[in-house]
Amino acid sequence: MTVFNKRQVGNTKLIVSELGFGAATFGNLYRPMPDSAAKESIIKAMELGLNQFDTAPYYGFGLSERRVGDALRSYDSSSYVLSTKVGRILEPCAKAEDKYGFCSPMPFEPKYDYSYDGVMRSFEHSMQRLGLSKIDIIYMHDIGRVTHGDDHDRLFKIAMEGGYKAMDELRSQGLVSAIGLGVNEYEVCEQAMDHGHFDCFLLAGRYTLLEQKSLQTFLPRCIKENSSIILGGPYNSGILATGVRREGVVPHYNYEPASKEIINTVARIEDICGEYNVPLAAAALQFPLAHSAVVSVIPGLSSADRVETTVAQMQHKIPAEFWTALQDAGILYPDVPVPSTLP
């Protein structure tokens, strides 16, 4: 079994592997996958030392949670850390349709609900779909101004006055060990920290080789308040995994085709990767973990083979000179922590 370093989540007793397992693909994200592939990928992950698994009701409208639960049910609950999300309720609809990128057979429609009752219902429904004895972490899903636009202020008020109260009660009652936000916007995390204590944040794509703005205020505040970062989307929607030079592949960044500026930046990163014989994906995975606020990275994993490949990328030896070259090129902030600075 691979031995991964493990890190503590906030002030909790949860200890997670530095590499986690994102299960959005289990909801048939962009393409169907068989149940067997989902189960095999989690078995392989457990064999290779991963102990952190993240899902959500939104992923396939319940399908991901069902598959994660089916795969983990045979393991002792103390051997893994499981997270799911609240903030949406799945309402029955007449038939299943492919929507929001999910090719799911589940006949449900997701509806935002950040209220106290909505969060409690979501938690109960997730427990039933998972069919497991525990959920370790719940994240409030997709709250934020970029997501909700002009409706953000109204929804955020409901979330902090109602949804947070429910999450805090679940934590204080010992029904979950940690609470946080699962979002693509670090600004809303800072906003939420003014209203309560969050043990951790699942932050997608906002602290990567391409983006370090969150280093200025958010990450230092997380250290001060002992709130951990689980870094989702380390590939920035795929562009830091595929690169920009594959024929027939449209590079995607932040869930849409990448701009020329982003493509040019990634091309410069690829040039430096080539100079130092470093796989682009390996650099993308390892970079965030140099910051003391970040306890793990969680890429999406869709097969046993992908699990093995990702583990190999996490273990690839990267010379200190590589990170210096990225800083000299202006791709990384000059004062950003890099893996070579780790003790």
Side-chain angles (χ1 to χ4, degrees):
M1 183 168 91
T2 306
V3 178
F4 280 108
N5 291 330
K6 290 187 169 67
R7 304 188 184 187
Q8 181 181 0
V9 176
N11 286 319
T12 74
K13 295 180 180 180
L14 298 176
I15 306 296
V16 296
S17 54
E18 289 181 336
L19 178 63
F21 190 115
T25 54
F26 282 20
N28 289 352
L29 181 62
Y30 304 131
R31 63 186 63 86
M33 69 182 297
D35 292 341
S36 58
K39 187 169 186 176
E40 289 165 5
S41 63
I42 284 188
I43 291 172
K44 179 59 66 175
M46 293 289 281
E47 287 177 356
L48 294 181
L50 282 70
N51 81 330
Q52 184 182 183
F53 300 88
D54 177 70
T55 182
Y58 181 60
Y59 302 157
F61 323 121
L63 182 60
S64 176
E65 286 187 318
R66 291 182 60 173
R67 284 172 161 171
V68 168
D70 288 346
L72 288 177
R73 198 166 298 121
S74 61
Y75 293 95
D76 189 296
S77 62
S78 65
S79 66
Y80 60 83
V81 174
L82 174 65
S83 59
T84 191
K85 303 182 181 75
V86 296
R88 288 182 176 92
I89 293 293
L90 300 183
E91 297 183 351
C93 59
K95 62 179 180 178
E97 295 180 358
D98 294 350
K99 50 187 178 288
Y100 313 116
F102 295 103
C103 310
S104 177
M106 304 293 281
F108 297 98
E109 178 73 22
K111 300 291 185 183
Y112 287 112
D113 191 339
Y114 296 109
S115 68
Y116 177 94
D117 289 343
V119 166
M120 287 300 193
R121 286 176 59 201
S122 179
F123 175 74
E124 292 173 1
H125 293 175
S126 288
M127 288 292 293
Q128 293 173 358
R129 280 189 296 268
L130 287 159
L132 299 173
S133 62
K134 65 149 190 177
I135 296 171
D136 296 292
I137 306 171
I138 52 171
Y139 297 110
M140 185 175 287
H141 202 188
D142 287 341
I143 194 74
R145 191 171 301 280
V146 173
T147 302
H148 295 294
D150 292 341
D151 208 22
H152 167 68
D153 291 337
R154 182 184 69 85
L155 291 174
F156 185 79
K157 186 174 188 292
I158 293 170
M160 293 300 102
E161 293 180 355
Y164 173 78
K165 181 181 177 182
M167 296 170 74
D168 190 37
E169 284 186 14
L170 292 170
R171 177 175 57 184
S172 64
Q173 293 169 9
L175 296 175
V176 299
S177 297
I179 65 172
L181 304 187
V183 294
N184 299 287
E185 310 167 40
Y186 75 87
E187 295 88 349
V188 75
C189 298
E190 289 190 271
Q191 188 181 4
M193 292 169 92
D194 293 335
H195 295 266
H197 176 68
F198 295 88
D199 304 288
C200 50
F201 298 98
L202 176 50
L203 181 65
R206 300 288 81 84
Y207 185 64
T208 68
L209 293 179
L210 287 173
E211 293 189 43
Q212 297 113 53
K213 189 177 179 182
S214 58
L215 183 69
Q216 296 174 335
T217 58
F218 177 52
L219 269 64
R221 184 170 180 182
C222 286
I223 293 173
K224 182 180 179 181
E225 300 189 17
N226 207 2
S227 297
S228 296
I229 302 294
I230 291 90
L231 202 287
Y235 304 133
N236 277 128
S237 299
I239 197 168
L240 291 177
T242 65
V244 295
R245 292 167 175 159
R246 293 188 185 182
E247 286 191 20
V249 176
V250 177
H252 276 67
Y253 164 77
N254 214 20
Y255 309 107
E256 60 185 22
S259 68
K260 186 175 181 180
E261 180 183 2
I262 291 293
I263 289 173
N264 289 340
T265 300
V266 174
R268 291 165 62 206
I269 297 173
E270 286 191 276
D271 288 340
I272 297 171
C273 284
E275 182 179 350
Y276 290 94
N277 195 29
V278 172
L280 176 61
L285 286 170
Q286 294 183 36
F287 163 71
L289 288 165
H291 199 287
S292 58
V294 179
V295 297
S296 65
V297 291
I298 301 192
L301 298 173
S302 57
S303 68
D305 288 344
R306 180 64 62 85
V307 172
E308 289 185 320
T309 300
T310 305
V311 168
Q313 291 165 342
M314 280 285 287
Q315 296 176 326
H316 186 90
K317 301 297 183 183
I318 299 178
E321 295 79 8
F322 169 78
W323 305 110
T324 302
L326 289 180
Q327 289 175 312
D328 291 344
I331 292 164
L332 297 181
Y333 281 26
D335 57 346
V336 72
V338 296
S340 59
T341 65
L342 288 174

